[in-house]
Amino acid sequence: MATNKNPFTNTLEQLKKAADLINLDPDTHAILKVPYRTFQFSIPVKMDDNSWKVFEGYRVQYNNDRGPYKGGIRFHHQANLHEVKALAALMTWKTAVANIPLGGGKGGIKVDPKKLSEGELERLSRGYIRAARDFIGPDIDIPAPDVNTNPTIMGWMADEYSKLVGRSTPGVITGKPLALGGSQGREAATGLGGFYLLQEVVAKLKINPKKAKIVIQGFGNVGYHFSRFAYKAGYNIIAISDSQGNIFDKRGKGLNPKHVMNTKRGKGLASGCYCKGTVCDCENYTRVSDKKMLEIPCDILVPAALENQITKTNAGRIKAKVILELANGPVTSEADEKLSKRGIVVVPDILANSGGVTVSYFEWLQNLSNEYWTEQEVNKKLKEVVTAAFNDIWKNKEKYSTDLRTAAYVLAIQRVAEALQAKGYR
Ligand code: NAD
């Protein structure tokens, strides 16, 4: 269902809607509409057959008024500067919504990682850091995992940076393996944060979790961990998809995510990448087209893959009560309007998946202080942060009689604008 809509245009439309609602002054709006810095670079990699390939890399530093730039690195064959800019903007609003002292950035490489050997992937990851070393750092810009990147890759990247600067610098990257200064709870944090938010939303909307049916698009880090927590809490997961197809339990008995992941991982990659194997290896389930998958009647629809999945074309056919945006930018602004008119509640990405950057922030704090927390401590603090953000946004929704996305943008804009203005730029 993906369309060609420029995802950055989408985030600007969302920004404008909230800016208009609060009469944001035009100068502040002008500053918030553009990234502070944009980098595009080439990464030459020696392939296993001794040939060289040159990959295109990006890093966008959108806004650092509230703290160092922060955001993941995506490896995807369709990665491009517009997408990275959009994702960097979303990171700015997300860190503000979570009220953590960080800004927003994002990175990417145009590559299909499924086509690389593990050695090639490592050389590419290290090459990215060599190209970006001058403009990242623990108090400048702190990358993390995103689509098709994982703790192993973050470990290589942190190691490369430490070698380049000549000292151990774990705080330059989050989402690292535990052995290299990673945080307990980071790997599952985006999914767990999404689950905590789901619990808040179903309580507000009086949906019974034990009777609620969930459809999940995307079964990587975020989709998988979210589904584990939801399954444990008694939700009924009736369909799951990945880039290669989907499985739908028509009988309504529900899918066990651990079983589905074990089957997918049967053909997985040693480094634990979620990009290999497929949920389609699970037998005895119905398959539907990718388009129809999003239109399966359910209570909660969870896009957890890529942007632009719910558009003006299919928004009228969505049959969920709630859309929990664990992916970044899965719903376009035109679709938002349609869904809102139909009474479908959209929990926006900048809130729904903020658990990831929140625990990344915790990881960074632990690296800087060289003191490490237990998983219970991490999860308790995570719950406090996302619940506070939810309550702040719900108050804005009622105050301004608006949808949750606009309410979240209002909160974010006000916090970033306050920092910007406190610096005396204006
Ligand atoms: P991942 O690479 O671990 O998994 C992505 C999943 O999406 C894979 O299962 C892939 O097969 C699937 N997918 C790709 N294209 C698809 C399609 N057209 N239809 C169905 N499934 C498809 O990535 P991730 O880290 O889980 O990220 C997923 C989304 O969550 C992205 O939008 C990312 O920006 C966002 N996000 C991730 C984090 C994080 O901590 N990893 C944090 C915040 C937001």
Side-chain angles (χ1 to χ4, degrees), residues 74 146 148 186 190 219-222 241-243 304-305 326-328:
R74 174 175 293 194
D146 191 70
N148 290 334
R186 173 60 187 92
T190 310
F219 200 58
N221 170 292
V222 176
S241 72
D242 62 24
S243 60
L326 291 190
N328 283 309

Side-chain angles (χ1 to χ4, degrees), residues 329-384:
V331 176
T332 65
S333 27
E334 295 101 335
D336 245 348
E337 297 287 330
K338 284 197 169 186
L339 295 167
S340 170
K341 280 190 191 134
R342 295 184 55 220
I344 297 175
V345 174
V346 179
V347 185
D349 44 12
I350 58 174
L351 170 65
N353 66 36
S354 61
V357 73
T358 300
V359 176
S360 271
Y361 166 58
F362 297 160
E363 180 174 333
W364 179 68
L365 285 179
Q366 293 170 76
N367 294 152
L368 297 187
S369 63
N370 214 6
E371 271 182 33
Y372 287 84
W373 311 348
T374 64
E375 190 173 348
Q376 285 77 5
E377 283 175 277
V378 169
N379 291 349
K380 183 169 170 281
K381 287 174 203 274
L382 167 64
K383 191 171 185 182
E384 285 165 8

Side-chain angles (χ1 to χ4, degrees), residues 1 66 151 160 196 247 287 322 347 352 377 381 387 398 403:
M1 189 38 64
R66 302 181 74 259
E160 188 67 22
Y196 288 147
I247 46 174
R287 312 242 186 279
V322 174
V347 185
E377 283 175 277
K381 287 174 203 274
T387 309
E398 289 179 344
D403 55 274

Side-chain angles (χ1 to χ4, degrees), residues 51-127:
S51 68
W52 285 80
K53 254 195 185 158
V54 182
F55 296 88
E56 207 165 276
Y58 318 95
R59 187 76 192 163
V60 173
Q61 298 180 333
Y62 199 85
N63 185 290
N64 65 349
D65 287 312
R66 302 181 74 259
Y69 302 103
K70 182 91 193 78
I73 302 174
R74 174 175 293 194
F75 287 4
H76 197 270
H77 61 285
Q78 287 174 333
N80 61 72
L81 207 49
H82 294 304
E83 179 184 71
V84 180
K85 256 162 80 173
L87 295 167
L90 290 178
M91 287 307 298
T92 305
W93 317 134
K94 202 177 297 180
T95 51
V97 156
N99 212 4
I100 53 181
L102 294 168
K106 200 84 181 190
I109 304 180
K110 195 190 278 293
V111 57
D112 181 354
K114 288 181 194 145
K115 294 191 175 147
L116 299 192
S117 70
E118 189 137 343
E120 289 166 343
L121 197 59
E122 176 172 353
R123 293 194 288 283
L124 176 67
S125 306
R126 290 181 182 276

